[in-house]
Amino acid sequence: MVFDGASSGWGIEQGDSSEWATLDQTVKTSPNIIRDGVARVSKRLDDKDRTVTAYYFGSEPEAKVRARAISFFNPKYEFRVYKTYLGVTRWYEGDLLAFAIEDNAASIMPTIKFTILSMDVYYRDADRNERPFGSSTPRLGFPFVSHLASDKRRPRDHPAGFVVSELVYSGLNTVWNTGDVPCWYRVEIRAKGEIVNPKIDKDGKFVQLNTVLVEGDVAIIDFESSPPKVTVNGVNAIALASRDSKFTGMQMQVGKNKFRFDCDNQDSRALAEVRVLFHRLYLGV
């Protein structure tokens, strides 16, 4: 069940979520020994609870609506809340902190009030961003000669059609993070042939897997998880990471981030389909 008003008959008060972008922060200080004032020891954003009051304006019987709402707001679930403002949609995740439903048979419409506690306070893009490695080089120019039909006597020398572009795989990729704060990401490596000891490098720090991927294998290095995870075909493979691999300091910073994919058999590097998957993080909507 989705409480979005448009499809389920629920709506919220106008302005009820206006304070959701206000984030609480804790700054710890200590007195300066020589100078006046204090020195900042640490600064962090605290958890955030966001409360919504929703009204039902649909046509279903109140008893049915009430039962469905109680079942939906199960404290054992994890929740994802989407907010759309000025055409921009973002979401955050959290746990149910409080829930109440009006217990008044004479009420004109059922009313619920719930609070979602978000431990990770940032909003995320509605869609996961994807940045594949590799680039396409244009090959079509004017004037050009088009072999629309192949020469049956020499089909390999005169193939049908013409080349419009060529995929150039250098193993390099630049990803721009246009969010408000640094974010984490996943690296997905799909093998189309034999890949020996695949390695992902970000701004000089790297994670290398001491293994051979064969056609059809999928390796995922997941920095979004805490602690980070490594899987090959869905099976835990953290033990395959080389001893000099770095899982710290691999955040995608705001702005320009350089990634590089490599392997020991570099001639086969183009046989790996590599993607960086991430959600940009925002302070509000």
Side-chain angles (χ1 to χ4, degrees):
M1 183 171 58
V2 179
F3 287 82
D4 63 359
S7 64
S8 59
W10 289 89
I12 66 173
E13 286 185 341
Q14 185 175 0
D16 196 45
S17 61
S18 59
E19 299 299 322
W20 284 10
T22 304
L23 301 180
D24 301 322
Q25 60 179 317
T26 298
V27 179
K28 292 185 178 181
T29 62
S30 65
N32 279 323
I33 299 176
I34 300 176
R35 301 178 180 180
D36 294 333
V38 298
R40 184 177 68 246
V41 176
S42 64
K43 180 171 62 174
R44 66 179 178 84
L45 292 177
D46 298 323
D47 54 3
K48 177 71 174 181
D49 60 90
R50 300 175 172 100
T51 300
V52 174
T53 301
Y55 304 93
Y56 183 73
F57 53 84
S59 57
E60 291 189 84
E62 182 175 348
K64 185 176 180 180
V65 173
R66 178 186 178 88
R68 189 164 70 246
I70 294 174
S71 176
F72 179 86
F73 287 98
N74 188 326
K76 298 295 185 180
Y77 296 160
E78 293 182 354
F79 291 83
R80 178 177 291 186
V81 180
Y82 288 81
K83 180 179 179 181
T84 300
Y85 185 69
L86 297 178
V88 177
T89 300
R90 293 172 184 157
W91 59 272
Y92 68 90
E93 290 181 330
D95 294 335
L96 184 66
L97 187 64
F99 170 73
I101 187 166
E102 190 175 69
D103 189 10
N104 182 6
S107 173
I108 298 177
M109 59 181 68
T111 304
I112 58 174
K113 187 174 183 178
F114 59 92
T115 301
I116 303 296
L117 175 65
S118 178
M119 277 70 77
D120 184 349
V121 298
Y122 299 116
Y123 286 89
R124 288 162 169 75
D125 282 11
D127 298 316
R128 182 182 288 275
N129 299 281
E130 175 183 328
R131 293 296 181 269
F133 285 43
S135 61
S136 182
T137 300
R139 290 282 302 277
L140 177 61
F142 294 90
F144 64 89
V145 178
S146 172
H147 299 284
L148 295 179
S150 63
D151 187 334
K152 294 181 179 181
R153 296 168 297 178
R154 293 191 300 170
R156 298 184 63 180
D157 295 336
H158 298 282
F162 47 85
V163 178
V164 294
S165 66
E166 180 182 10
L167 180 65
V168 178
Y169 190 84
S170 63
L172 298 174
N173 196 16
T174 299
V175 179
W176 288 88
N177 177 13
T178 57
D180 295 332
V181 295
C183 66
W184 296 104
Y185 53 91
R186 297 170 58 195
V187 178
E188 181 182 277
I189 305 168
R190 292 182 175 270
K192 298 188 296 182
E194 186 175 281
I195 304 296
V196 180
N197 298 338
K199 175 182 177 181
I200 185 71
D201 181 293
K202 184 199 173 295
D203 296 322
K205 296 182 178 181
F206 67 87
V207 172
Q208 183 169 25
L209 304 183
N210 292 327
T211 188
V212 178
L213 301 179
V214 298
E215 185 175 359
D217 284 348
V218 179
I220 295 178
I221 305 173
D222 185 358
F223 295 104
E224 289 182 321
S225 298
S226 182
K229 296 179 181 179
V230 177
T231 60
V232 176
N233 299 329
V235 179
N236 181 17
I238 191 69
L240 297 178
S242 65
R243 298 186 65 178
D244 54 351
S245 293
K246 303 293 183 182
F247 287 95
T248 59
M250 296 289 281
Q251 260 187 310
M252 186 185 298
Q253 300 299 319
V254 175
K256 185 178 182 179
N257 297 265
K258 292 184 177 180
F259 288 87
R260 178 182 178 88
F261 174 76
D262 213 338
C263 56
D264 285 359
N265 56 334
Q266 292 194 12
D267 292 342
S268 300
R269 189 169 56 182
L271 296 178
E273 292 183 353
V274 186
R275 300 187 301 166
V276 177
L277 306 170
F278 66 101
H279 288 289
R280 296 186 181 93
L281 301 180
Y282 299 91
L283 297 171
V285 182

